[in-house]
Amino acid sequence: MKEKRYLDLLSIIAAFSVIILHVNGVFWEFSSTQSYWKSALIIESVFYFAVPVFFMISGATLMDFYERYGLGVYFKKRAVKTFVPFLFWSIMGLIVHVVFFKDIPVEALVFRNIFNGLMAFSSFVPVFWFFRPLFISYLAIPVFAGVEKSKKLKIFTYIAVTALILDFLFPFLNSCFKIRVNPNIVTIVGSYYLIFLFLGYIIDSVELKITARVLIYLGGLAGLGFQLFGTYIRSMKAGAVDTAFKEYTNIPAILQGVAFFVFIKYAYRFIEKNKIVNKLIDVLRKYTFSFFLLHWFVIQGLIKIFNIDQYSILWRLFGFIPAAAICMGIAWVLRRVKVGRLILP
């Protein structure tokens, strides 16, 4: 597969954005009187594109995997890169809860509880909820990747368009605006996080005219507007964080993710020959998954060790920098040994 550097840049930005979202976790502690929540809402809304972009990258990079290797190699790569690290760091999360948080008693450490915790994905490491849709996507990709190359773009576009209308747009209109247009039909194949696989492949495969890009950017701004102003108005009215415009599999997040993906694809062409940018990409792209695996542990450690005020705007804006740096340092050290490369690929 021809190397596409803009995908590396997207992965790096998305990884940093995920850390920013979790450093800004006080967003979920609603307050109509404290100023921190308004700034937290802005940060949350601006960087919400991160998770959709991650799944879109998977669609762009994996939907043609049969051209490079077979099904057995595909699953071996996925297991080594994601499943083994998931298991190891989930157990590490369990140890943190038992030893440091002390919110899981030692007597509860029986096989059934540990197994159920792992199957819940986020029980031991809250941010690991991400692995559920990731593993589902990995299981689905071989089916769609088997579509004939000449027909793939047309079929994926059909799935994406019908899913966007039936699985996402109609439910969005129903839940947020009480517009009863739902025919009670879903595509199934394009629902859930699978929609991002198709969108990523499509955007990566086609050249968009400037008019189409402008419309996509306007859609992204609309998605941001729903996230920001819609959430603010409804939350103030409800007296709690209102999630009508949230969730990654919701129209606002889809619009944001698509717009950002397209923006970076075309913006990178203006900087692709910049040596400094490419050097940074070469360094940071090796750590994007390590950022995801480690950042929860690092954030918890920083807060506890330095007694950090989590409501501080300085922490919420710049805390991702030391968190990411420490993640890189840990990954660099652990990768010096074979086992370290297995748990931090």
Side-chain angles (χ1 to χ4, degrees):
M1 183 181 72
K2 182 179 179 182
E3 184 180 34
K4 296 182 179 181
R5 303 276 287 176
Y6 88 90
L7 293 175
D8 289 330
L9 179 58
L10 267 172
S11 181
I12 293 165
I13 296 173
F16 281 124
S17 298
V18 165
I19 301 176
I20 291 171
L21 287 173
H22 294 140
V23 168
N24 187 54
V26 296
F27 162 76
W28 296 101
E29 300 178 24
F30 176 78
S31 174
S32 61
T33 57
Q34 299 295 317
S35 61
Y36 79 84
W37 191 79
K38 294 177 183 178
S39 61
L41 171 61
I42 295 173
I43 296 170
E44 169 83 4
S45 301
V46 168
F47 292 97
Y48 209 69
F49 63 84
V51 171
V53 163
F54 266 129
F55 282 93
M56 292 170 72
I57 292 171
S58 292
T61 56
L62 294 176
M63 283 296 203
D64 287 326
F65 79 83
Y66 284 118
E67 297 177 4
R68 306 189 296 278
Y69 43 75
L71 189 61
V73 174
Y74 167 83
F75 279 115
K76 181 180 179 181
K77 285 178 174 288
R78 304 284 73 76
V80 170
K81 186 174 181 180
T82 59
F83 188 67
V84 172
F86 161 72
L87 286 178
F88 177 85
W89 292 107
S90 292
I91 295 300
M92 290 299 295
L94 173 60
I95 293 173
V96 168
H97 280 282
V98 173
V99 177
F100 296 102
F101 294 163
K102 301 185 186 302
D103 54 0
I104 297 180
V106 175
E107 54 268 23
L109 299 181
V110 297
F111 176 80
R112 183 181 63 181
N113 292 341
I114 295 174
F115 180 81
N116 288 340
L118 290 172
M119 291 302 96
F121 292 94
S122 59
S123 291
F124 305 141
V125 182
V127 301
F128 280 8
W129 67 265
F130 176 89
F131 279 104
R132 183 197 302 273
L134 183 66
F135 291 154
I136 291 173
S137 297
Y138 283 167
L139 289 172
I141 283 173
V143 177
F144 300 116
V147 175
E148 183 180 326
K149 178 71 173 180
S150 61
K151 299 178 180 179
K152 195 169 286 184
L153 184 59
K154 184 179 293 185
I155 290 175
F156 288 179
T157 301
Y158 164 74
I159 294 174
V161 171
T162 54
L164 282 171
I165 295 172
L166 295 174
D167 299 349
F168 300 99
L169 179 59
F170 284 175
F172 173 72
L173 293 175
N174 288 337
S175 64
C176 294
F177 302 104
K178 309 303 179 185
I179 301 175
R180 300 300 176 185
V181 292
N182 195 345
N184 200 29
I185 299 175
V186 295
T187 66
I188 298 177
V189 293
S191 60
Y192 197 48
Y193 284 78
L194 298 182
I195 185 65
F196 297 119
L197 303 178
F198 302 113
L199 291 172
Y201 182 89
I202 293 166
I203 296 171
D204 181 63
S205 301
V206 302
E207 282 298 314
L208 295 169
K209 295 182 179 180
I210 185 65
T211 303
R213 278 182 268 160
V214 169
L215 290 174
I216 289 172
Y217 298 151
L218 290 174
L221 289 174
L224 176 60
F226 281 124
Q227 288 260 15
L228 186 56
F229 300 109
T231 300
Y232 177 82
I233 293 170
R234 294 177 69 112
S235 296
M236 286 296 176
K237 183 178 180 180
V241 177
D242 186 285
T243 60
F245 297 113
K246 301 198 66 63
E247 302 298 337
Y248 294 114
T249 53
N250 199 359
I251 285 295
I254 294 173
L255 292 174
Q256 284 179 269
V258 168
F260 194 79
F261 197 102
V262 171
F263 174 76
I264 294 298
K265 176 182 178 179
Y266 289 93
Y268 179 71
R269 297 179 180 182
F270 293 97
I271 58 174
E272 61 183 343
K273 294 183 179 180
N274 187 295
K275 294 182 179 180
I276 296 176
V277 170
N278 283 294
K279 182 64 176 177
L280 284 172
I281 291 175
D282 285 336
V283 172
L284 294 174
R285 68 176 180 172
K286 302 173 184 177
Y287 295 96
T288 52
F289 194 49
S290 294
F291 288 152
F292 177 74
L293 289 168
L294 296 173
H295 77 275
W296 178 81
F297 298 92
V298 172
I299 290 172
Q300 300 306 312
L302 287 173
I303 291 172
K304 187 174 182 65
I305 293 171
F306 297 102
N307 194 28
I308 291 173
D309 177 9
Q310 298 180 61
Y311 301 90
S312 166
I313 188 64
L314 290 177
W315 164 248
R316 290 185 288 115
L317 283 178
F318 304 109
F320 79 96
I321 298 175
I326 293 171
C327 289
M328 287 180 65
I330 293 172
W332 186 88
V333 170
L334 290 180
R335 287 174 179 175
R336 300 304 97 187
V337 296
K338 187 174 181 179
V339 174
R341 293 191 293 272
L342 187 63
I343 60 176
L344 285 173

